[in-house]
Amino acid sequence: MECLKAQQMLSEAIDSAVPEDELAEARAHCVGCEECTRFARSLERISSLPTPVAPDALVSRLVALGAQEAAVLRTAPAGSPEDGVAPDGHAAAPVRLMPAWWAPRLTAYAAVAAVLLVALVATGIGLGGVLSPREAVFETAEDTRARTDGAALSAAPAPGGTQEATKALSDTLIAPPYVVIDGLVYTPTGPRTVDAATLVTATPVLTSLHAASDPITLPAYRISTSNDTAVLQLTDGTYLGFSAVTREFGGRAFVLTSGSLLTSYGQWPTLPARFQQPTAPDGSPTFSFFGKDDSGTLIYIPTGGQATDGFAVAPGSGPQDPAAGNPNWTWWQRL
Amino acid sequence: MGANALSELELVRAALSGDERSFETLVRTHADAVYGHALRFFGDQATAEDATQEVFIKVFRSLASFDGRSAFSTWLFRVTRNVCLDLARAGKHRPVPTDLMELEPPSVRDFADDVVMSRVVETAIRALPPEERDALGAVTLFGMSYEQAAASFDVPVGTVKSRVFRARRTLSRLLEPTEGGA
């Protein structure tokens, strides 16, 4: 056996099972080879040494962080109106950034803000009326998203607020500009040129876009080089680009789906028809709590489902969440 | 999925249900590996502690994405490696450079001293090429098999074996004891 082969065998034997006869041959080689004997001696010595050990104080801190996270998770799944915790109430509460004493206060403040906004809307004033009546009157569909986000930011249920307030708030909001292409929800990115070679024909889309007129059917295409991009061909032959509405889970993108056709901007995506509407805040009987996505929003899976294939998000997600303002449960599938 | 992977998945699911003991078990089982990787990456204890804390915060928050299809240590190793790289890229922490030329071989007496040799070996490991250091760490700190490490690095198994071997051969040559003092 050559020296290199013998040394490789000795190294590999430390980490995994190797054929006995080959290891024996390598050891026999070492007996008569000074270089390999030195290597074997060093290898044995290095392998016997202790590896770095995390300081006790660090481990204690980590254990404490884990205990905090466990406490948050214990309160989260119920998410019932009675306990005043929205479905993703704890998700936006960073373990390190927010002291524990602040959380209940923030919950109370957010709840008050939500109730105040609902009261404003109910009296016909609304934020638009308070801040800028003229803009409110002439608001276009393209402004919808910004207004929706602004309102949601002002009165977001997360990390506090009641579900009733969330529902009332959602009912008053208009959805962002969405279209549904092959069951997936997209939002417009603006006019774009396309390379015909990259177009993959999708099911035509029935939509009026932002217009108040009746919806028409427009040819739809996905872009083969970008799996989160699609285009609609407008009546004048130009193309309008769209980007899939996504969220991250485990570092992977999941796209929003809709069980209903959204025939104009401003309509909320709904749960696909194959799912029974949950009747409880914890998703039952259709879903059960699973964990959190990468942004900390709580996610739910159907019985026997794998979160890596798809998951549901409850209404009332935080203001920065891609489902913010949606009064419906939403389903997100692997992009 | 082996029995061990199944128990890891059960542990993760228990943690996700809010079981404090499961979080503690995860921390106590894996803290040394994460800290060891960070220490070898940054070469500085305080920075390694910061990085370790970042890793576990990230792990706690994304625990739901662990589906048990790979070993927990494989998933944890990937998170650890990415956190260290992100911290370095963001300029928050920079690896402390180690020059192989500055390493002095241990004396025969030091060679027999665990404390001294551990310090010398750790310094030498920090000076290894990153791909060799990572491969060695994946196998020896995180207890990954060659196959798991290969999947994690997205390279053939033989490449991982070569990297680990080259790392050990370099260490062996660097740390060959001398009769003189050092």
Side-chain angles (χ1 to χ4, degrees), chain A residues 7 34 38 61 74 124 164 167 226-227 230:
Chain A
Q7 291 178 11
E34 191 180 338
R38 279 202 304 270
R61 285 204 304 276
R74 278 197 300 275
E164 289 86 348
K167 179 70 168 63
S226 173
N227 66 349

Side-chain angles (χ1 to χ4, degrees), chain A residues 3-4 7-16 35 38-43 45-55 57-63 65-71 73-74 77 93-97 249-252 289-294 296 299 301 305-309 334, chain B residues 13 15-21 23-24 27-28 31-33 35-37 39-40 45 48-50 52-54 56-57 60-67 69 75 78 110-115 117-118 121-122 125 139-141 144-146 161-162 164-166 168-173 175-177:
Chain A
C3 291
L4 181 64
Q7 291 178 11
Q8 284 174 331
M9 188 58 59
L10 293 173
S11 170
E12 200 174 326
I14 293 173
D15 310 310
S16 61
E35 183 190 336
R38 279 202 304 270
F39 175 78
R41 187 180 58 179
S42 292
L43 196 59
R45 182 71 183 110
I46 292 167
S47 305
S48 70
L49 291 169
T51 49
V53 176
L58 171 63
V59 174
S60 297
R61 285 204 304 276
L62 298 175
V63 169
L65 283 171
Q68 266 183 278
E69 190 70 15
L73 283 167
R74 278 197 300 275
V95 175
R96 286 201 308 171
L97 301 182
F249 171 62
R252 295 167 182 155
F289 173 70
F290 180 77
K292 295 184 286 185
D293 72 359
D294 291 3
I299 62 176
I301 57 172
Q306 291 278 352
T308 45
D309 296 329
R334 182 85 175 270
Chain B
R13 286 197 181 273
L16 282 170
S17 70
D19 180 33
E20 201 173 311
R21 296 287 294 272
F23 275 101
E24 182 171 351
V27 167
R28 295 198 183 279
D32 288 347
Y35 174 76
H37 180 92
L39 186 62
R40 289 175 178 179
Q45 184 175 329
E49 289 192 27
D50 284 351
T52 304
Q53 189 163 316
E54 288 290 328
F56 276 96
I57 287 172
F60 291 161
R61 290 181 181 173
S62 55
L63 211 49
S65 68
F66 175 69
D67 57 14
R69 289 180 192 175
W75 183 69
R78 194 162 54 238
D110 286 346
F111 192 78
D113 186 322
D114 273 4
V115 176
M117 272 302 283
S118 289
V121 167
E122 287 303 319
I125 287 175
V139 172
T140 60
L141 292 178
M144 293 161 65
S145 67
Y146 287 137
K161 287 183 182 177
S162 295
V164 172
F165 170 66
R166 282 204 304 270
R168 285 184 172 137
R169 194 173 54 177
T170 303
L171 293 175
S172 171
R173 286 175 180 166
L175 303 173
E176 199 168 292

Side-chain angles (χ1 to χ4, degrees), chain A:
Chain A
M1 182 178 276
E2 292 179 355
C3 291
L4 181 64
K5 175 73 176 165
Q7 291 178 11
Q8 284 174 331
M9 188 58 59
L10 293 173
S11 170
E12 200 174 326
I14 293 173
D15 310 310
S16 61
V18 297
E20 289 279 341
D21 54 338
E22 289 187 38
L23 183 60
E25 194 180 343
R27 284 182 176 143
H29 168 88
C30 289
V31 173
C33 175
E34 191 180 338
E35 183 190 336
C36 288
T37 299
R38 279 202 304 270
F39 175 78
R41 187 180 58 179
S42 292
L43 196 59
E44 187 181 350
R45 182 71 183 110
I46 292 167
S47 305
S48 70
L49 291 169
T51 49
V53 176
D56 288 342
L58 171 63
V59 174
S60 297
R61 285 204 304 276
L62 298 175
V63 169
L65 283 171
Q68 266 183 278
E69 190 70 15
V72 167
L73 283 167
R74 278 197 300 275
T75 58
S80 62
E82 289 73 26
D83 61 22
V85 178
D88 72 342
H90 80 288
V95 175
R96 286 201 308 171
L97 301 182
M98 184 183 290
W101 57 266
W102 175 247
R105 288 163 177 75
L106 188 59
T107 301
Y109 297 153
V112 169
V115 169
L116 281 176
L117 184 76
V118 170
L120 281 172
V121 172
T123 55
I125 299 172
L127 275 185
V130 171
L131 300 176
S132 178
R134 185 177 296 272
E135 283 77 0
V137 170
F138 293 104
E139 181 186 50
T140 64
E142 279 71 20
D143 296 327
T144 302
R145 177 81 196 196
R147 183 170 72 79
T148 304
D149 287 348
L153 272 171
S154 304
T162 64
Q163 287 217 321
E164 289 86 348
T166 304
K167 179 70 168 63
L169 177 64
S170 295
D171 287 347
T172 68
L173 296 177
I174 299 172
Y178 286 149
V179 297
V180 178
I181 302 174
D182 288 340
L184 308 183
V185 179
Y186 290 76
T187 190
T189 54
R192 63 169 290 169
T193 55
V194 297
D195 176 2
T198 65
L199 296 181
V200 179
T201 304
T203 307
V205 171
L206 181 69
T207 178
S208 62
L209 299 176
H210 56 77
S213 56
D214 289 337
I216 56 173
T217 300
L218 296 173
Y221 303 91
R222 283 177 282 110
I223 307 293
S224 61
T225 53
S226 173
N227 66 349
D228 64 350
T229 307
V231 294
L232 291 184
Q233 189 172 23
L234 305 179
T235 50
D236 62 1
T238 61
Y239 291 91
L240 182 59
F242 287 83
S243 178
V245 179
T246 60
R247 65 170 68 241
E248 298 271 321
F249 171 62
R252 295 167 182 155
F254 286 76
V255 60
L256 176 60
T257 65
S258 180
S260 56
L261 291 176
L262 308 178
T263 53
S264 69
Y265 290 167
Q267 298 174 356
W268 289 111
T270 57
L271 209 53
R274 66 181 183 277
F275 296 115
Q276 180 190 347
Q277 283 297 327
T279 55
D282 65 359
S284 59
T286 310
F287 304 117
S288 56
F289 173 70
F290 180 77
K292 295 184 286 185
D293 72 359
D294 291 3
S295 68
T297 298
L298 301 192
I299 62 176
Y300 302 77
I301 57 172
T303 305
Q306 291 278 352
T308 45
D309 296 329
F311 50 79
V313 169
S317 53
Q320 304 299 334
D321 191 83
N326 193 333
N328 308 313
W329 281 79
T330 49
W331 180 256
W332 303 74
Q333 72 178 48
R334 182 85 175 270
L335 182 61

